[in-house]
Each structure stands twice: as structure tokens, then as C-alpha cells.
Amino acid sequence: PASVKVSQLNLSVGEAAPDFALKDQNGKTVKRSSIKKPLVVYFYPADATPGCTVQANNFNEQIKDIRKTYGADVVGISGQDVESKQEFARDLGLNFSILADEDDEVRAAFGVPKALFVLPGRVTYVLDKSGVCVSVYNNMADAASHVEKATDALSELPVASNPLASI
């Protein structure tokens, strides 16, 4: 839509998310613009820290429901390398992609604010199938609340229609 603005800083509701291509824990490149369904993009401070473990486990517990109910997917992003992502994903048995943003370029493109001025922030964005941001949730302390806020936002999106229905 013509009303969509592209933001390079502090992505907010109604703006198109920056495109990105990052490697996941399996070494596979995930490109935001190739995902043609709603996408939860959550930025977290670091692999294997207590809050990040809670957050990843919560998304992992809900991933089947997120995919089935909302036709959406989830990616987690932090600054550690692919090897760190492999270990974190393996330890937790994650069934979704966690992406290595080693130079924090994607974090910077989304304009994710720092927590307490120094820590990489914990922020969850929900994008619609066109990549437009429909929800931003910034809460460093309550890692467990992010999955609920994401599913609330997904539930507000129109349900994907059957692509064959229009033929």
C-alpha cells in the first residue's frame, strides 16, 4: 500500500520492516522478503542466558500453534555466530530458526533500542505477510510475555485465505 513508510530506525507499526538475509542454526540463509506469511521477529540479547532460554522455550512450545492457527512463522535474532546458534538450538530442541546477526546490522536496521543503555534489547516485532509491522513489544525483564504478545498481534491479522478460492 502507498501508506507504508520504510524506516531505517526504530521500526514502528505501519512501517515496512527492513529486509535481511541471515544464517540460521543450520547454516541456511533466511531472507525476510522471501517469507510470504506473517512473521514474528524477536530480537534477544544472547544465546543460552536465562531470560533468552525462557523466551526461546516459550516460542518453541507455541511454534506448532503459531504455524497452524495463524499461518505464521517465528525467527529469533541475536548477535552470536552460527556455532553459538547451533549449540543453543540443539540444547533446547528448537523447531524454528534462530539467526546469527554477528555484526548487529539487522538489529541496527530495525532500530532495536538498548536496554539499560548497554545491553542489546529484547524486542518482538510482528510483521504481516507483506512485511509491514503490525506490533512492537519491548520488554527486557519479562521474557516469557513475548510469545503471548506476539500471538495476540497475530490473532488480529486477517486469516490467510485459500489461494485457490479466487481461481
Side-chain angles (χ1 to χ4, degrees):
S3 63
V4 172
K5 303 177 300 255
V6 175
S7 163
Q8 288 309 308
L9 195 61
N10 298 322
L11 178 69
S12 54
V13 170
E15 295 178 332
D19 199 12
F20 59 79
L22 294 172
K23 289 201 184 307
D24 72 4
Q25 67 267 35
N26 302 311
K28 178 182 154 221
T29 298
V30 174
K31 188 169 169 59
R32 203 250 337 130
S33 58
S34 345
I35 299 169
K36 305 296 186 197
K37 55 186 165 186
L39 184 66
V40 176
V41 180
Y42 81 90
F43 288 87
Y44 62 99
D47 296 332
T49 56
C52 302
T53 299
V54 165
Q55 188 176 21
N57 278 329
N58 283 357
F59 273 111
N60 205 45
E61 286 164 13
Q62 297 293 323
I63 191 65
K64 282 188 179 131
D65 190 47
I66 288 170
R67 288 175 177 149
K68 186 175 176 196
T69 305
Y70 307 108
D73 214 338
V74 174
V75 295
I77 301 178
S78 74
Q80 296 72 45
D81 62 18
V82 170
E83 289 73 29
S84 176
K85 302 278 166 270
Q86 282 172 339
E87 192 174 322
F88 189 43
R90 186 179 58 241
D91 289 350
L92 299 183
L94 298 183
N95 293 309
F96 62 90
S97 292
I98 51 173
L99 309 178
D101 186 20
E102 290 184 61
D103 48 15
D104 284 330
E105 271 183 26
V106 176
R107 182 179 285 275
F110 272 71
V112 179
K114 289 196 180 308
L116 309 172
F117 305 103
V118 291
L119 297 170
R122 182 186 313 284
V123 181
T124 296
Y125 299 89
V126 178
L127 312 179
D128 70 11
K129 64 182 187 204
S130 308
V132 174
C133 182
V134 296
S135 171
V136 179
Y137 182 64
N138 181 356
N139 187 324
M140 185 67 176
D142 188 359
S145 62
H146 284 255
V147 71
E148 182 184 344
K149 295 295 182 184
T151 53
D152 286 350
L154 288 169
S155 71
E156 301 289 316
L157 290 174
V159 177
S161 60
N162 179 346
L164 302 176
S166 60
I167 296 177

